[in-house]
């Protein structure tokens, strides 16, 4: 199993550009989520999904869209990038409904200039 | 939004010494408490997920306890080794499981040889 994979690893965007961060897992996990990690802050939840076709907002959803058309994939879309979205983005999945133990991807480092 | 606090923020420990640090979380509507280990340039990896008051879990030299009534958890490392250097994150999960985790800012542990 590859686990949780994320692409790209690094990305530089200009303000106003849009892009999609890709996340995929091959563990047949129902639960997937996106976090951002900023200096001096903990991991903050952006959006999450409890299964295909179901998504919900986390703590910091503004400026981001998600969809979950398959169990495997959970892309994160930045509609119009802003410098405040410069961050490291982690995707995570969980297959255990009791514990929700998270399996994290390797992260995408995004810089918006 | 839950408020999860970790202390201390950073900690320098001599190799061979034992250490511990704290995670506090709101005790109302508690569902689970997670500990993750996060090494530099890697992704967070789960250490423990605890759900019951009085839970104690152990993995090698690392152990954790949970008090859900007063809202705190301790992580202990016995006989610290350089490879224990990492950031240790705790996260609280409330509301019966469907919501995402709320992470603390982490304790950055440095083991000095």
């Amino acid at each position: 199993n590859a686990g949780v994979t994320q692409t790209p690893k690094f990305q530089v965007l200009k303000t106003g550009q849009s892009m999609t961060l890709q996340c995929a897992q091959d563990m047949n996990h129902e639960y997937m989520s996106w976090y951002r990690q900023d200096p001096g802050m903990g991991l903050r939840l952006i959006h999450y999904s409890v299964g295909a076709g179901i998504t919900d907002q986390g703590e910091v959803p503004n400026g981001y869209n998600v969809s979950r058309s398959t169990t495997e994939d959970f892309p994160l879309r930045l509609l119009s990038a802003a410098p405040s979205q410069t961050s490291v983005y982690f995707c995570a999945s969980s297959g255990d409904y009791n514990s929700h133990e998270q399996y994290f991807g390797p992260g995408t480092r995004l810089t918006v200039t | 939004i839950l408020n999860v606090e970790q202390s201390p923020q950073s900690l320098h420990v001599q190799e061979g010494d034992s250490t511990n640090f704290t995670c506090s979380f709101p005790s109302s509507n508690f569902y689970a408490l997670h500990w993750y280990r996060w090494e530099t340039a890697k992704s967070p990896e789960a250490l423990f997920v605890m759900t019951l008051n009085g839970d104690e879990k152990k993995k090698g030299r690392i152990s954790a306890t949970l008090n859900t009534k007063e809202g705190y958890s301790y992580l202990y490392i016995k006989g610290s080794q350089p490879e224990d250097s990492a950031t240790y994150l705790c996260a609280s999960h409330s509301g019966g499981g469907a919501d995402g985790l709320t992470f603390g800012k982490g304790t950055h542990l440095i083991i000095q040889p």
Side-chain angles (χ1 to χ4, degrees), chain A residues 31 35 37 40-45 48 50 56 58-59 90 97-107, chain B residues 1 31-32 34 36 38 42-46 49 51 89 93 96-106:
Chain A
Y31 187 95
Y35 296 89
Q37 205 276 319
M41 311 284 288
L43 289 166
R44 291 184 293 167
L45 183 66
Y48 66 96
V50 298
D56 209 344
E59 183 185 350
F90 286 96
Y97 278 111
N98 289 325
S99 75
H100 277 263
E101 177 179 326
Q102 306 278 298
Y103 292 80
F104 284 88
Chain B
I1 304 294
Y31 186 78
H34 297 221
Y36 291 84
W38 193 0
K42 295 189 178 179
S43 309
E45 290 184 351
V49 179
T51 56
L89 300 173
H93 198 173
D99 301 331
L101 299 177
T102 299
F103 281 83
K105 295 179 184 179

Side-chain angles (χ1 to χ4, degrees), chain A residues 30-83:
Chain A
E30 290 292 333
Y31 187 95
M32 295 184 74
S33 51
W34 276 101
Y35 296 89
R36 59 178 289 173
Q37 205 276 319
D38 301 296
M41 311 284 288
L43 289 166
R44 291 184 293 167
L45 183 66
I46 304 171
H47 284 283
Y48 66 96
S49 168
V50 298
I54 307 169
T55 63
D56 209 344
Q57 296 181 348
E59 183 185 350
V60 288
N62 291 341
Y64 308 95
N65 272 0
V66 291
S67 59
R68 185 92 180 273
S69 54
T70 66
T71 300
E72 294 77 21
D73 300 296
F74 191 42
L76 179 74
R77 295 184 191 84
L78 281 71
L79 307 172
S80 177

